[in-house]
Amino acid sequence: MSDYRLYWRPGAGSMVVEAALRLIGAAFECVRIDEDSALHTPKFLALNPAGKIPVLELPSGQVIAESVAILLALDETFPEARLLPPHGSPARNVAVQWLIFMTANIYPDALRLYYAPRHTDDASPEAADAIKRQAIKDLDRDFAQLASAISGPFLLGSTMTITDVYAAMLADWHRPAMDLPEISDLVAQVLKNPAVAKAWHNHEYGC
Ligand SMILES: N[C@@H](CCC(=O)N[C@@H](CS)C(=O)NCC(=O)O)C(=O)O
């Protein structure tokens, strides 16, 4: 059986996938993609037609894109690693709810902030600035909602799940989120985990 293969770039959402692979203890190799143009080659588009990172190639040869889909697939394959609480538990429902909340809301908010000109057909700097201002408001609102659900220090209390790592990654993309004590405490605790800290460092994250 060959290793997992993770397509990644510094600063990207591949951080949480690398952290998951390290938490599991799975063997993996990394394919670093720095240039945007490399995301639009026929070879990469065959892996992920959306031309986005992260992408994970499984030992079976199957390829999965979308960060949360990858995390759920890894959790299903390695339930003993407890990336998420056990199937059927109320805690799992909460962890998955907030994972999906983040991928459906906070991640796209951040993309609007970082890639503002893509989100308007008005090429003026003012239009991009308006997109950014709204993205920041949405990030503030969505992080406040997430913070209100955190039992402390982690989402579910004393046990870290991959949902916490996902939250920490997104908080690093919107540093005002760190002004929320629930979020800054969660990030500090997440970074005490050596597997997460290694992935964080490899992705050249701050905090
Ligand atoms: N919904 C996707 C979003 C992936 C995404 O937008 N990734 C960014 C990096 S964090 C990317 O590949 N950006 C390159 C681009 O859009 O050109 C996921 O959760 O995996």
Side-chain angles (χ1 to χ4, degrees):
M1 179 159 126
S2 54
D3 294 347
Y4 285 87
R5 182 176 296 141
L6 173 62
Y7 294 81
W8 78 289
R9 69 162 49 160
S14 39
M15 196 290 291
V16 69
V17 179
E18 181 181 336
L21 290 163
R22 290 187 182 282
L23 286 165
I24 289 164
F28 64 99
E29 65 175 274
C30 291
V31 180
R32 179 171 171 155
I33 302 199
D34 283 314
E35 300 301 322
D36 279 349
S37 56
L39 295 173
H40 300 287
T41 60
K43 195 172 163 205
F44 190 83
L45 291 173
L47 299 173
N48 181 7
K52 310 268 188 209
I53 280 171
V55 170
L56 187 68
E57 213 171 315
L58 310 187
S60 65
Q62 187 182 20
V63 176
I64 312 183
E66 291 296 328
S67 52
V68 169
I70 296 170
L71 298 176
L72 292 174
L74 288 173
D75 174 69
E76 302 242 343
T77 308
F78 299 97
E80 66 285 356
R82 285 279 186 271
L83 295 179
L84 291 167
H87 277 265
S89 64
R92 184 183 181 90
N93 297 339
V94 176
V96 171
Q97 176 191 324
W98 287 101
L99 205 45
I100 302 237
F101 174 83
M102 288 188 281
T103 199
N105 296 284
I106 300 183
Y107 204 137
D109 295 342
L111 293 174
R112 277 189 290 126
L113 180 59
Y114 288 106
Y115 299 110
R118 285 188 192 172
H119 293 84
T120 171
D121 60 4
D122 180 340
S124 70
E126 292 78 16
D129 286 346
I131 298 283
K132 285 184 194 171
R133 279 197 304 277
Q134 187 60 47
I136 289 168
K137 281 185 194 162
D138 293 347
L139 280 162
D140 291 342
R141 179 201 59 211
D142 293 340
F143 270 110
Q145 288 177 17
L146 173 64
S148 72
I150 294 173
S151 300
F154 300 113
L155 175 71
L156 296 169
S158 56
T159 304
M160 186 185 84
T161 68
I162 204 66
T163 305
D164 298 298
V165 184
Y166 205 99
M169 176 181 82
L170 296 179
D172 199 59
W173 297 353
H174 181 58
R175 300 307 294 270
M178 299 293 280
D179 293 339
L180 299 165
E182 297 87 349
I183 301 285
S184 59
D185 287 355
L186 178 145
V187 173
Q189 291 301 318
V190 158
L191 289 179
K192 286 185 182 163
N193 183 291
V196 179
K198 177 97 175 129
W200 190 274
H201 173 77
N202 287 350
H203 274 73
E204 299 167 18
Y205 273 38
C207 281

